[in-house]
Each structure stands twice: as C-alpha cells, then as structure tokens.
Amino acid sequence: MRPKIKVIAVSLRTRTDAAQSFHAADDLSQEKKFTIADGLRTILGSQNFAIVQRYVDGILTVSEEAIVASMRTI
C-alpha cells in the first residue's frame, strides 16, 4: 500500500536462520531452539521465508537479554 515504508524484522542473535536466509536469498532454516520469544521457537520454513523475501527490507538481530529488558519497560 505504501512502497516508501521499510519493513525491518527482528531475530535473535542466537537464532540467526531468518537473518542468514534473508542475506543468502535461500531458506537456511535451523533446528528449533528454546527462547523467551515464543514466536521464534519454530523453524523459519519455506512459506514464511517467501513472505520475508517479498515484504522485508532488512533484519536486525537482538539478544535474549534485550527482549527481556524491553518486556520490563511495558
């Protein structure tokens, strides 16, 4: 709807399959890992990767500690 808007995704520093896949332009899904970010407890997968390729302009990585700290500020 608004082509000038940039979409930036966030991934865990210890769970970099989304970021690596984004930069490699290939689905490099890793095994599941435990994280406080329950939405990241599964693999990226080909369907989600296709969405990332189409709509995401960049991916930042953050630590578990940064996620916990941000939860405490809400």
Side-chain angles (χ1 to χ4, degrees), residues 22-35:
F22 179 78
H23 293 294
D26 191 18
D27 182 7
L28 304 173
S29 294
Q30 299 172 352
E31 64 185 48
K32 298 177 186 180
K33 294 182 181 178
F34 178 78
T35 172

Side-chain angles (χ1 to χ4, degrees), residues 6-55:
K6 299 293 182 193
V7 176
I8 306 299
V10 178
S11 184
L12 284 172
R13 218 170 266 146
T14 58
R15 178 69 198 261
T16 60
D17 57 337
Q20 290 173 348
S21 296
F22 179 78
H23 293 294
D26 191 18
D27 182 7
L28 304 173
S29 294
Q30 299 172 352
E31 64 185 48
K32 298 177 186 180
K33 294 182 181 178
F34 178 78
T35 172
I36 191 132
D38 60 348
L40 298 176
R41 289 183 185 168
T42 122
I43 62 168
L44 178 62
S46 60
Q47 289 179 327
N48 290 331
F49 179 64
I51 293 168
V52 168
Q53 281 189 301
R54 184 170 180 181
Y55 296 109

